[in-house]
Amino acid sequence: MSKRKTLGLVEIPERTLEYDMALLERYNEFSAELLRLGLLGITALGFAASKALLPGDDRARAETLLESVRYETGIALIAFGCCVAAALAHRYFATDSMSWHLQAMRRYLRAEDKDIVVADSEFRSRYRRFKWSEYAIRIASISLGTGAVSMAFAIWRLI
């Protein structure tokens, strides 16, 4: 009776993974940029609010100005927060789906017992996670744009 080979020891040909990993890296770089810009937007809003509300020359005027752009800054803050959350979700689901992809590939290569049936199931799980990562990166992109437009509109109203 032969000893069963664990999945971690099943080698996947290097050229098979090269393009998958490069694509995953590109998407993760893009979501990292969305994450960075979303956090930068939140920081900019906080900085602007702190500068306006610090004790200074005309606090009543500053509070009136902030009140006049309350909705725009609120929308921008919520949108930037959604961008950050969705970018993090994208990074999680994209990486998780790749782990399912690798596990299924190893099962196909090992092809013992019920490996093919399990691998088919894992590919379905991988596909679901790829779809979730697709939705997350779209939400992050749209949210970043919404936050930027809302913040620009608030600045325009203040000028």
Side-chain angles (χ1 to χ4, degrees):
M1 183 175 230
S2 67
K3 199 171 192 181
R4 185 177 173 141
K5 191 175 190 179
T6 65
L7 281 180
L9 297 177
V10 175
E11 285 191 42
I12 299 173
E14 185 67 31
R15 299 290 288 171
T16 305
L17 287 180
E18 187 176 323
Y19 299 114
D20 291 341
M21 294 308 235
L23 186 61
L24 175 66
E25 184 179 329
R26 285 284 180 91
Y27 272 107
N28 278 341
E29 286 173 4
F30 181 66
S31 66
E33 194 65 22
L34 290 172
L35 176 64
R36 186 183 70 78
L37 290 171
L39 290 171
L40 184 63
I42 292 170
T43 304
L45 288 171
F47 177 76
S50 70
K51 280 296 188 185
L53 294 176
L54 282 176
D57 301 328
D58 194 359
R59 186 173 175 89
R61 181 176 182 274
E63 288 175 355
T64 303
L65 283 174
L66 285 178
E67 182 66 27
S68 69
V69 292
R70 177 179 62 188
Y71 295 114
E72 292 87 349
T73 55
I75 290 169
L77 185 60
I78 290 168
F80 287 138
C82 287
C83 173
V84 168
L88 287 172
H90 170 265
R91 293 173 69 80
Y92 171 76
F93 288 125
T95 304
D96 189 45
S97 61
M98 186 54 73
S99 72
W100 283 97
H101 179 68
L102 294 175
Q103 188 171 339
M105 287 177 68
R106 284 190 168 119
R107 285 191 193 282
Y108 280 130
L109 288 170
R110 184 175 70 178
E112 293 178 3
D113 299 332
K114 297 180 181 180
D115 277 343
I116 303 300
V117 174
V118 174
D120 288 340
S121 171
E122 288 172 349
F123 265 118
R124 285 189 296 277
S125 294
R126 176 207 65 161
Y127 180 75
R128 273 193 310 274
R129 283 168 178 77
F130 275 144
K131 289 309 274 183
W132 292 343
S133 72
E134 175 191 349
Y135 298 144
I137 203 162
R138 285 182 185 195
I139 290 168
S141 300
I142 291 167
S143 297
L144 180 65
T146 302
V149 166
S150 184
M151 189 166 75
F153 190 64
I155 292 168
W156 176 75
R157 286 199 50 201
L158 288 174
I159 293 176

